[in-house]
Amino acid sequence: MITMSPTSSVLSPAPAKAPPATVLALIAHARGVPSVAREAFAAECAALHGDEAVVIVHTCHRVELYVALEAFGDRELPKLPSRGLRLEDAAAARHLIRVTCGLESAVLGEDQVLHQVRQTYAARRDAQPLDPVLGRLFQVALNAGRRAHGWFEGSKRSLGDAALDEIERRAGTLTNQPILIVGAGSMGRLTAQAAVRRGARVIVTSRTAERAVRLAHDVGGRALDCAVDGTIPPVVGAVVALSGPWQAHAQDARLLVDSGVPVIDLSSPPAVSAALQAQLGESFVSIDDIAWGPQVELPGGLRSRLEKLVTGSGREYCRWLLARDSLPAIQAMSEAAEGRRASELEWLLRRLPDLSEQDRAVIDQMSQRLVAGILHAPRSRLRLDDSGDLGRAARELFGL
């Protein structure tokens, strides 16, 4: 008598194990992971810098670790912060492609992240060898990003626009109103240019006086010496975009606090000190707050076009992955067929020793064409095998 547990069955085969993942993405984004936790995760990821199996994408809103799992092996990965995302294979590829296409940004369609991903990939590729699984993924994503951003018309919005939107929401129109920009780097410049487009009067200060003067000159604004206390005039809002702490002087900080104007910090980690944040209270807006701000919807059918591009590019990458997995089967099948062809040809030529060299060459060419013709369809099908089933079948049928 056979007894079975309630969970067993003699009729249903054991479920097949899922194939191991090829690509892993660990995602810490401002919408789920606060800035301090993101930067701590970034510090852990930095220990893997230069590893051929790893690429790290680090921007103001995200820290993303992409891993080629086979090359990475059994080593320990950095611990993903709470509310971070773990994505594998198609989901990981789709996410990176959405990032480069501007669909995962706080400002839909902005292209700063595309530039940052491109610079990250170029620097990583030039520094040390990169696993082909990641190299191909970033190439596909960057190609999609270039196509996507060619579809956007007019001036591109940036995080600087989102900061100015918040100031306008609180203070009203910016036309002919003074705006303080703290920082003269790329984000400070984008913000200053966006402010000018809205008719604001731009005031620039930075740790490097020359850069502040240059940016102010370029946008028709005014530069302040950040080394002198009490130089900030009345403004309707301030945008801070620095790569380090903002050493705001006492009188300047007091002016901002007492006036109650919004202070938008676009830095990660925050450039505005915790003490000044507390004094500003609800007037302070962090980079993480911007991540949750309202989106400006994409015009017409652009979102649909972008989503189709993401899907198509993701499918292209996954097909490449599967074809790459099928290559050993294709190669083994070809080598087995060539071995058998050479053996049969040798047997035939021994039986016909009086053949001329020309006849031997014709028979050899015919045998090569015969084998190539027979293998053409199987090779083509294996290269397009989305499931991997044909590769496994070929190994079993040919004893590979």
Side-chain angles (χ1 to χ4, degrees), residues 47 192 248 346 361 384 395:
E346 183 182 359
L384 298 176
R395 293 184 181 91

Side-chain angles (χ1 to χ4, degrees), residues 15 81-82 135 225 242 296 304 323 325 337 376:
S82 174
D225 188 345
L242 293 171
V296 175
S304 176
D325 291 340
H376 174 72

Side-chain angles (χ1 to χ4, degrees), residues 236-249:
V236 296
V239 180
V240 183
L242 293 171
S243 58
W246 178 31
Q247 304 295 342
H249 296 293

Side-chain angles (χ1 to χ4, degrees), residues 277-314:
Q277 290 181 38
Q279 294 177 53
L280 289 167
E282 293 184 358
S283 296
F284 176 75
V285 179
S286 72
I287 185 73
D288 291 357
D289 297 326
I290 292 293
W292 289 101
Q295 291 279 9
V296 175
E297 191 47 62
L298 298 173
L302 181 54
R303 176 180 282 278
S304 176
R305 290 182 68 193
L306 291 170
E307 293 290 359
K308 288 180 181 178
L309 175 61
V310 170
T311 299
S313 300

Side-chain angles (χ1 to χ4, degrees), residues 288-357:
D288 291 357
D289 297 326
I290 292 293
W292 289 101
Q295 291 279 9
V296 175
E297 191 47 62
L298 298 173
L302 181 54
R303 176 180 282 278
S304 176
R305 290 182 68 193
L306 291 170
E307 293 290 359
K308 288 180 181 178
L309 175 61
V310 170
T311 299
S313 300
R315 185 181 298 116
E316 172 192 341
Y317 176 67
C318 290
R319 281 180 173 169
W320 178 85
L321 275 183
L322 290 167
R324 180 175 178 270
D325 291 340
S326 297
L327 285 178
I330 295 172
Q331 183 176 358
M333 185 172 65
S334 300
E335 290 174 353
E338 174 58 24
R340 184 59 183 268
R341 183 197 72 84
S343 176
E344 293 296 327
L345 180 63
E346 183 182 359
W347 176 86
L348 177 63
L349 295 179
R350 282 201 309 267
R351 295 289 300 272
L352 302 171
D354 297 330
L355 287 175
S356 67
E357 288 300 320

Side-chain angles (χ1 to χ4, degrees), residues 63 77 120 137 146 152 175 189 235 346 379 388:
V63 178
L77 287 164
T120 294
L137 171 59
R146 280 191 288 271
F152 291 92
T175 303
R189 178 170 291 274
V235 293
E346 183 182 359
R379 284 171 176 161

Side-chain angles (χ1 to χ4, degrees), residues 46-246:
L48 300 173
H49 182 72
D51 190 310
E52 70 171 358
V54 166
V55 177
I56 304 163
V57 176
H58 187 183
T59 73
C60 54
H61 268 150
R62 73 189 71 248
V63 178
E64 302 186 352
L65 178 69
Y66 293 86
V67 185
L69 290 172
E70 183 178 345
F72 193 78
D74 296 330
R75 289 175 287 160
E76 186 175 355
L77 287 164
K79 183 179 179 182
L80 184 64
S82 174
R83 298 190 66 189
L85 297 176
R86 178 187 176 99
L87 305 175
E88 295 180 353
D89 289 341
R94 178 179 175 81
H95 175 82
L96 180 60
I97 296 167
R98 286 179 60 84
V99 167
T100 59
C101 289
L103 290 171
E104 291 290 333
S105 299
V107 178
L108 287 176
E110 60 88 14
D111 57 6
Q112 286 76 51
V113 173
L114 174 62
H115 297 319
Q116 291 165 325
V117 173
R118 182 186 296 118
Q119 291 170 352
T120 294
Y121 171 64
R124 177 64 192 78
R125 180 196 57 202
D126 295 343
Q128 282 186 334
L130 180 62
D131 188 271
V133 166
L134 292 180
R136 183 61 176 239
L137 171 59
F138 275 77
Q139 290 167 15
V140 169
L142 289 170
N143 286 338
R146 280 191 288 271
R147 287 184 61 192
H149 288 283
W151 298 341
F152 291 92
E153 299 178 355
S155 299
K156 302 287 197 308
R157 283 174 55 84
S158 69
L159 283 176
D161 285 284
L164 296 172
D165 289 344
E166 182 64 21
I167 293 174
E168 280 188 330
R169 188 179 71 80
R170 299 183 181 213
T173 179
L174 299 184
T175 303
N176 204 35
Q177 296 295 328
I179 290 287
L180 175 66
I181 310 294
V182 183
S186 58
M187 185 52 66
R189 178 170 291 274
L190 286 169
T191 306
Q193 291 168 343
V196 169
R197 287 196 296 270
R198 300 179 191 219
R201 291 184 284 117
V202 175
I203 302 167
V204 183
T205 186
S206 180
R207 287 190 293 260
T208 306
E210 293 82 1
R211 296 183 72 183
V213 169
R214 189 182 311 121
L215 176 55
H217 175 269
D218 290 346
V219 298
R222 167 188 172 194
L224 297 180
D225 188 345
C226 72
V228 180
D229 195 7
T231 58
I232 295 178
V235 293
V236 296
V239 180
V240 183
L242 293 171
S243 58
W246 178 31

